[in-house]
């Protein structure tokens, strides 16, 4: 355990130092008591820290689950009055500009060394290279991710128009399997048999989900759109790791705000073209449900904040569980608000994809941990068996010794 390796320093008072030195046996007893006290205090501190981390983890899980499922349901509700998925994607992506200002506010309140916004911006710009965020870096390193971000969200929202939110949310969970496959092929990550099994589960779940609706063209298009969204999301994550590596919190916040700048400068023309070509057309701006649009954007922003920065206060595995828990939440809502049919094939597909997602959450060294645990259990069983035999064997002579004196006394 980590807490056993941490030094714990305790100081005694002056009165205790002036006392006579105790005997060697008493000194050993006192040293043992002090050592056990140190370990117990360290254990207590570590347990409190872990409990706090688990508590915040539960809060983050609930936040991720509610924000993700809430944004999905609100998008479905928005399309009943405002049938413009790309415009909704563009509008919600603009809210990413708030990432860096919100991060800077957290830096001001939490950091001991305060920096001005300009200083913090320059420090975070080192993530893009020695020259910072130049025009060349913007087009070569930020613009491709802006395109992938837009495609991921647009395909996801467009799929919500075609199929129910339960199928959309569960199929999007396959993106973690796609991330593993791409990382294995492109990044040469470690091969793990259990993750190959999880990827097979994801593919099998996609096929079964398509079969659940009878391979109708409407559902097939919707499923293809979700799978495309999950693929774009996986490509985004793998390329980010390949081209940019890992980012600190400030660097990630600046990068997401830069994506919003790209969205405003280069994507704004697309909703305008779609409006005038009447692909995404609305008769009057008064009928736009601004409450739904802003609510969806706030929930999506909250989801991305928790997903990117929740690791600072809890475990990454707990954050991923929030995405899985959004599936039953959407299923309950769909059961009461739509005509979804939860037949056996759909339920099995949901379970298979969810199981594959959970298998992908296993750490890389999970097999080593399992082998160590099984080895310890075997050693304990072997130690318990001889001890039990020794007690029985030692009990027999004792019993005979006790009975012999009684017999001799009885003879006298």
């Amino acid at each position: 355990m980590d807490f056993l390796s941490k030094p714990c320093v305790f100081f005694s008072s002056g009165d205790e130092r002036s006392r006579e030195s105790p005997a060697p046996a008493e000194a050993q007893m006192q040293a043992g008591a002090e050592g056990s006290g140190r370990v117990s205090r360290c254990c207590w501190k570590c347990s409190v820290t872990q409990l706090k981390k688990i508590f915040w983890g539960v809060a983050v899980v609930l936040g991720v689950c509610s924000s993700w499922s809430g944004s999905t349901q609100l998008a479905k509700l928005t399309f009943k009055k405002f049938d413009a998925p790309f415009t909704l994607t563009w509008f919600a992506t603009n809210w990413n500009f708030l990432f860096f200002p919100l991060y800077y506010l957290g830096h001001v309140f939490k950091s001991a060394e305060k920096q001005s916004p300009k200083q913090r911006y320059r420090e975070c710009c080192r993530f893009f290279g020695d020259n910072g965020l130049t025009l060349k870096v913007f087009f070569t390193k930020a613009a491709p991710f802006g395109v992938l971000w837009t495609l991921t969200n647009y395909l996801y929202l467009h799929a919500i128009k075609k199929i129910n939110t339960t199928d959309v949310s569960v199929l999007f969970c396959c993106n973690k399997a796609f991330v593993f496959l791409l990382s294995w092929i492109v990044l040469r990550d470690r091969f793990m048999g259990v993750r190959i099994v999880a990827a097979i589960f994801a593919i099998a779940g996609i096929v079964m989900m398509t079969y659940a609706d009878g391979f109708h063209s409407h559902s097939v298009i919707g499923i293809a759109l979700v799978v495309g969204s999950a693929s774009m999301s996986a490509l985004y994550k793998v390329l980010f790791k390949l081209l940019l590596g890992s980012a600190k919190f400030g660097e990630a916040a600046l990068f997401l705000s830069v994506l919003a700048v790209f969205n405003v400068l280069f994507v704004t023309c697309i909703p305008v073209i779609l409006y005038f070509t009447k692909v995404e057309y609305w008769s009057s701006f008064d009928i736009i449900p601004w409450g739904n649009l802003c609510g969806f954007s706030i929930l999506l922003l909250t989801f991305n904040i928790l997903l990117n920065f929740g690791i600072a206060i809890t475990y990454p595995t707990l954050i991923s569980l929030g995405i899985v828990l959004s599936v039953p939440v959407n299923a309950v809502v769909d059961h009461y608000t739509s005509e979804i049919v939860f037949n056996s094939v759909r339920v099995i597909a949901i379970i298979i994809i969810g199981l594959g997602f959970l298998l992908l959450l296993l750490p890389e060294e999970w097999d080593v941990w399992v082998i160590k645990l099984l080895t310890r259990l075997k050693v304990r069983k072997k130690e318990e068996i001889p001890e039990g035999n020794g007690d029985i064997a030692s009990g027999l002579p004792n019993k005979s010794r006790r009975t012999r004196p009684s017999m001799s006394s009885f003879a006298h």
Side-chain angles (χ1 to χ4, degrees):
M1 296 294 290
D2 294 335
F3 60 85
L4 292 177
S5 62
K6 294 180 180 178
C8 298
V9 182
F10 298 94
F11 297 96
S12 59
S13 61
D15 295 333
E16 292 177 350
R17 293 179 183 176
S18 60
R19 295 177 184 175
E20 295 181 358
S21 60
E26 295 178 354
Q28 291 179 0
M29 293 176 63
Q30 290 181 3
E34 290 178 0
S36 61
R38 293 177 183 179
V39 173
S40 61
R41 291 186 184 183
C42 290
C43 292
W44 182 80
K45 290 180 181 180
C46 185
S47 61
V48 170
T49 303
Q50 289 180 345
L51 286 175
K52 288 181 179 179
K53 206 167 186 179
I54 293 173
F55 171 78
W56 283 111
V58 173
V60 171
V61 166
L62 294 177
V64 169
C65 176
S66 58
S67 60
W68 185 237
S69 57
S71 62
T72 303
Q73 293 295 332
L74 197 56
K76 188 80 172 180
L77 184 63
T78 302
F79 291 144
K80 294 180 179 179
K81 299 180 181 179
F82 184 71
D83 189 9
F86 195 93
T87 304
L88 181 59
T89 302
W90 171 83
F91 182 79
T93 304
N94 290 334
W95 288 64
N96 281 7
F97 185 78
L98 296 175
F99 266 101
F100 189 75
L102 290 175
Y103 161 77
Y104 181 74
L105 289 177
H107 164 75
V108 170
F109 284 107
K110 193 174 182 180
S111 180
E113 297 180 0
K114 313 298 182 188
Q115 290 182 334
S116 65
K118 189 175 182 180
Q119 291 175 338
R120 198 63 192 165
Y121 169 78
R122 288 181 176 178
E123 185 173 342
C124 293
C125 276
R126 296 176 184 175
F127 171 69
F128 295 99
D130 297 333
N131 297 326
L133 184 60
T134 61
L135 195 62
K136 180 181 179 181
V137 171
F138 179 81
F139 282 106
T140 56
K141 293 186 177 181
F145 294 100
V147 174
L148 291 175
W149 179 282
T150 303
L151 287 175
T152 300
N153 289 277
Y154 170 70
L155 294 174
Y156 185 86
L157 292 176
H158 197 67
I160 294 176
K161 292 176 52 182
K162 302 290 184 180
I163 56 179
N164 56 76
T165 57
T166 303
D167 294 349
V168 172
S169 58
V170 71
L171 287 170
F172 191 78
C173 291
C174 296
N175 77 317
K176 205 165 186 65
F178 298 157
V179 169
F180 163 70
L181 292 176
L182 287 175
S183 299
W184 179 42
I185 296 171
V186 178
L187 303 179
R188 304 296 181 182
D189 282 359
R190 177 188 173 190
F191 173 82
M192 293 182 64
V194 67
R195 294 187 178 180
I196 290 293
V197 174
I200 295 173
F201 280 177
I203 296 172
I206 293 171
V207 176
M208 293 183 67
M209 192 70 72
T210 310
Y211 176 76
D213 290 331
F215 291 98
H216 296 300
S217 60
H218 198 68
S219 62
V220 170
I221 293 174
I223 291 173
L225 289 171
V226 184
V227 174
S229 175
S231 302
M232 292 297 104
S233 175
L235 185 61
Y236 176 96
K237 295 176 181 179
V238 173
L239 285 181
F240 188 92
K241 188 175 181 180
L242 178 65
L243 300 178
L244 299 175
S246 59
K248 299 178 182 178
F249 295 119
E251 296 168 349
L254 177 61
F255 183 80
L256 292 171
S257 295
V258 170
L259 294 186
V261 175
F262 170 82
N263 186 71
V264 172
L265 295 177
F266 299 100
V267 185
T268 304
C269 59
I270 298 179
V272 175
I273 294 172
L274 294 177
Y275 175 79
F276 285 106
T277 55
K278 295 189 177 181
V279 176
E280 292 185 357
Y281 181 77
W282 54 95
S283 58
S284 174
F285 283 90
D286 296 333
I287 65 172
I288 297 177
W290 292 107
N292 291 347
L293 265 67
C294 294
F296 169 78
S297 302
I298 292 173
L299 288 175
L300 192 61
L301 178 66
T302 304
F303 170 77
N304 286 312
I305 289 174
L306 294 175
L307 205 64
N308 286 278
F309 305 133
I311 191 176
I313 57 177
T314 188
Y315 304 100
T317 304
L318 290 178
I319 299 174
S320 300
L321 287 177
I323 301 175
V324 181
L325 293 177
S326 66
V327 176
V329 173
N330 286 322
V332 171
V333 176
D334 285 344
H335 177 71
Y336 290 102
T337 59
S338 62
E339 298 179 355
I340 184 174
V341 178
F342 288 100
N343 52 27
S344 58
V345 179
R346 175 176 270 110
V347 173
I348 293 173
I350 292 173
I351 294 173
I352 287 177
I353 294 176
L355 181 60
F357 188 91
L358 294 176
L359 288 176
L360 289 167
L361 296 181
L362 291 175
E364 292 186 358
E365 303 296 334
W366 72 274
D367 51 345
V368 178
W369 295 349
V370 172
I371 292 173
K372 288 182 179 179
L373 179 61
L374 294 176
T375 305
R376 289 179 181 178
L377 292 175
K378 289 181 180 179
V379 171
R380 286 182 181 179
K381 287 182 179 180
K382 290 180 180 179
E383 290 177 352
E384 289 175 358
I385 292 174
E387 287 178 358
N389 294 334
D391 293 340
I392 295 172
S394 61
L396 292 175
N398 291 338
K399 186 176 180 181
S400 62
R401 291 174 185 173
R402 291 173 185 172
T403 54
R404 286 176 184 174
S406 61
M407 292 178 65
S408 60
S409 61
F410 181 75
H412 286 291

